[in-house]
Amino acid sequence: MRAKAEAIIDFGPSNGRTNDKIVQQYRQDYKRINEILDQHPEILERVHRDLQKLSKATTRRGRNATLTSENLFRAVLVKQLEGLGYREASVRIAESETLQSFCRLLKRSTINYSLINRAFCAIEPETWEAINHQLGLQAVEQGEVTTDHVRTDTTVTECNIHWPTDSSLLWDTYRVIAREMTRARPLARLACPWRFHPRKIKKLHLFITRYAGSSSKKRKGQVRAASKTLIERVEKTLENVASFVEYAKQSGDLNLMAAVELLDSYLPVMRQVTSVARRRTFDGEKVPNNEKVFSIFEPHTELIKRGRRGKPIEFGHKILLTQSREKFITDYVVLEENRCDDQLLGEVIQRHKDRYGRAPESIAADMGFRPDEETFEELEEEVDYLSVPRRTRDFGDVMMGIWQQWRAGIEGTISCLKRAFRLSRCFFKGFRNFGSGIGSAIFCHNLRILARTSSD
């Protein structure tokens, strides 16, 4: 069983006096964040329910967990606040008295990086959204945040994948099959008589990648022939693997079933990869993006075009952010399926009403959020002023210009989230952990905002 918290009175190192303003500000930030968390015990209570899953005893004689849920939760916050990986966070906590005091470790030196990882994975994305909402409600009640005037915008957080092409996805498929089958073969050699040739497949992939953009007709023919060969070989291998996985399931051998478990989970995505490649190469078909797979490791990834000059195409998910005048993010949504911005303005208003009891007095957004005129008139009845221009000429209006200048402030917040809280690319696996990564980063951003606001 894991305890929720331990009573710790002191905060900070005993010899914490220093004349360095940067060090003072650093310690003051963590001290204020510590006070904010202590003022909201319902946040720890909600997180404790999720972290209880880490300490379920498998026997009656199981020992109690050494670390409390508060220790683990604060270690996860340190990781996000400092923008560190799990190993770096473990080392930073061990070497910093301030962080040890913040995590309330008493005489324990640090927390193992793998336990921080397990703690992060145990906290559900819905929990991060809920504690963000609780933090916002308390800040509004205390007058630290006002929700009368909000601004909204979207951004894209990319998944941790390479640039997808047919040949690279086929090569990923083949190398994963070869690796997993090599591990499983000793358990059932007679059921796996096939040989694998990853070097030959990689050579085909590199040839296609190198000469795919060639203008020579001869090269184009060679690339097309190599693509067909690559598709046929991967398809044949995939058929063999499917039969081996089916044999393993029916064998009743637990070791063999465990060895092919990963392959079994990849098979649907791998089949989709080969199907799309065949349709494009053999049939010359233009496959819609919603039928494509952009990574066999992150199949939830979407292709998003936002018209950015430096990066016209992004692979990840769109994030909808709503922010108050104090730069506090009052609401966020991680969109599993991409939607146009002009469909999101009504959702922003409705979610704000559900969370804070009434619609905001004004909302500022860019031109992309402007819906059709009929919908816009309906939304104007709920909000006193909608600063959403329809065309460039609308910026000539004095009030519109003022509100749009204020709206631009959310762009700075997005930049801060991507630089300081690592939201430019999400390194967590799966859409569930993707949502947790977004939620934890926004929660830590809001803690920073409240800490700086109260100290001022």
Side-chain angles (χ1 to χ4, degrees):
M1 181 177 178
R2 187 179 303 280
K4 183 170 67 174
E6 289 178 334
I8 304 292
I9 299 176
D10 295 332
F11 178 84
S14 56
N15 56 348
R17 296 182 180 180
T18 177
N19 295 325
D20 193 299
K21 292 184 178 180
I22 300 299
V23 176
Q24 289 178 355
Q25 181 65 52
Y26 181 83
R27 291 175 179 169
Q28 188 64 29
D29 284 350
Y30 273 102
K31 185 175 182 180
R32 180 55 188 144
I33 292 173
N34 173 75
E35 294 172 354
I36 293 171
L37 294 175
D38 286 342
Q39 292 169 5
H40 302 84
E42 66 278 2
I43 290 178
L44 180 58
E45 180 64 36
R46 182 63 185 263
V47 173
H48 179 61
R49 299 175 200 166
D50 290 345
L51 293 180
Q52 281 282 65
K53 296 180 291 187
L54 294 180
S55 57
K56 288 184 177 180
T58 56
T59 65
R60 295 182 180 179
R61 300 178 63 184
R63 63 183 178 86
N64 292 331
T66 305
L67 298 168
T68 67
S69 295
E70 186 176 39
N71 298 145
L72 298 180
F73 177 52
R74 293 188 175 218
V76 171
L77 294 183
V78 167
K79 173 196 172 301
Q80 291 293 86
L81 287 166
E82 300 289 328
L84 303 172
Y86 293 112
R87 288 173 173 83
E88 292 84 355
S90 179
V91 173
R92 183 74 63 87
I93 292 171
E95 298 299 321
S96 171
E97 293 183 25
T98 299
L99 296 182
Q100 287 182 27
S101 298
F102 174 75
C103 295
R104 299 186 167 177
L105 291 177
L106 288 176
K107 296 181 180 180
R108 310 179 192 99
S109 58
T110 188
I111 302 175
N112 185 273
Y113 73 91
S114 61
L115 185 55
I116 301 177
N117 179 20
R118 290 168 55 205
F120 174 84
C121 294
I123 303 176
E124 300 286 343
E126 294 79 11
T127 300
W128 287 112
E129 186 175 355
I131 62 178
N132 268 301
H133 178 49
Q134 290 172 347
L135 190 65
L137 285 178
Q138 292 293 327
V140 171
E141 290 180 5
Q142 296 172 5
E144 297 178 336
V145 173
T146 58
T147 58
D148 295 335
H149 309 285
V150 297
R151 51 194 177 190
T152 185
D153 202 357
T154 57
T155 187
V156 172
T157 297
E158 292 190 297
C159 296
N160 189 30
I161 66 172
H162 60 72
W163 186 272
T165 61
D166 285 341
S167 64
S168 65
L169 292 176
L170 290 169
W171 162 237
D172 286 341
T173 299
Y174 192 91
R175 67 184 178 87
V176 169
I177 289 174
R179 182 190 67 205
E180 296 301 319
M181 290 295 288
T182 301
R183 293 174 180 174
R185 190 201 302 269
L187 300 175
R189 292 187 179 276
L190 296 179
C192 183
W194 314 288
R195 295 180 62 188
F196 300 98
H197 307 277
R199 290 187 178 180
K200 292 182 179 180
I201 299 300
K202 185 177 182 180
K203 187 175 181 180
L204 284 172
H205 157 58
L206 293 178
F207 179 84
I208 295 168
T209 302
R210 183 174 298 171
Y211 297 112
S214 175
S215 58
S216 169
K217 291 184 178 180
K218 182 178 179 181
R219 281 293 187 202
K220 287 182 178 179
Q222 292 174 341
V223 168
R224 186 173 179 82
S227 299
K228 290 182 176 180
T229 303
L230 177 60
I231 293 170
E232 290 171 349
R233 290 187 179 181
V234 174
E235 284 180 335
K236 180 62 177 176
T237 304
L238 201 54
E239 291 177 6
N240 295 337
V241 169
S243 63
F244 182 79
V245 170
E246 190 63 29
Y247 166 81
K249 289 181 178 179
Q250 297 176 1
S251 67
D253 187 341
L254 295 180
N255 291 329
L256 184 57
M257 293 170 65
V260 300
E261 184 178 2
L262 182 63
L263 273 177
D264 188 31
S265 64
Y266 279 144
L267 279 179
V269 183
M270 291 176 171
R271 290 194 180 102
Q272 192 172 353
V273 166
T274 55
S275 173
V276 169
R278 173 169 284 276
R279 289 164 62 186
R280 283 164 53 89
T281 304
F282 284 84
D283 305 333
E285 181 181 348
K286 188 174 181 180
V287 182
N289 287 332
N290 58 358
E291 298 180 19
K292 295 178 182 177
V293 174
F294 302 105
S295 172
I296 65 171
F297 309 108
E298 301 288 348
H300 59 88
T301 305
E302 289 191 307
L303 184 149
I304 301 175
K305 294 183 179 180
R306 295 194 298 155
R308 292 180 61 191
R309 182 177 301 176
K311 190 176 287 187
I313 297 177
E314 296 170 283
F315 297 96
H317 291 284
K318 183 179 285 187
I319 315 298
L320 174 63
L321 300 173
T322 305
Q323 189 182 48
S324 69
R325 290 188 301 177
E326 296 80 11
K327 298 183 180 179
F328 186 94
I329 298 176
T330 58
D331 190 24
Y332 73 94
V333 182
V334 182
L335 300 177
E336 189 170 5
E337 295 183 1
N338 184 28
R339 286 182 283 162
C340 295
D341 288 356
D342 57 11
Q343 302 174 8
L344 300 175
L345 189 59
E347 182 175 350
V348 170
I349 297 174
Q350 186 59 47
R351 288 177 63 91
H352 193 280
K353 290 168 63 177
D354 294 340
R355 279 158 173 71
Y356 298 99
R358 61 187 180 87
E361 295 180 8
S362 61
I363 294 180
D366 58 30
M367 286 191 292
F369 280 83
R370 181 87 178 203
D372 57 82
E373 288 305 312
E374 182 179 353
T375 305
F376 188 77
E377 291 175 0
E378 294 176 358
L379 296 178
E380 278 187 316
E381 297 178 358
E382 302 183 42
V383 181
D384 292 345
Y385 186 72
L386 277 177
S387 176
V388 186
R390 184 170 63 89
R391 51 192 175 181
T392 308
R393 188 185 306 175
D394 294 342
F395 287 91
D397 181 74
V398 176
M399 284 297 295
M400 181 67 74
I402 292 174
W403 280 103
Q404 285 300 304
Q405 286 181 352
W406 179 70
R407 181 213 65 82
I410 198 172
E411 304 287 354
T413 298
I414 292 173
S415 176
C416 175
L417 288 171
K418 292 192 173 186
R419 288 182 293 104
F421 296 95
R422 306 176 78 181
L423 277 199
S424 58
R425 179 178 288 261
C426 181
F427 293 94
F428 303 112
K429 186 175 178 61
F431 181 74
R432 174 188 173 279
N433 288 335
F434 186 98
S436 296
I438 302 299
S440 60
I442 291 175
F443 181 74
C444 290
H445 169 270
N446 286 339
L447 286 176
R448 287 277 192 196
I449 292 297
L450 292 179
R452 297 289 171 90
T453 302
S454 59
S455 61
D456 293 341

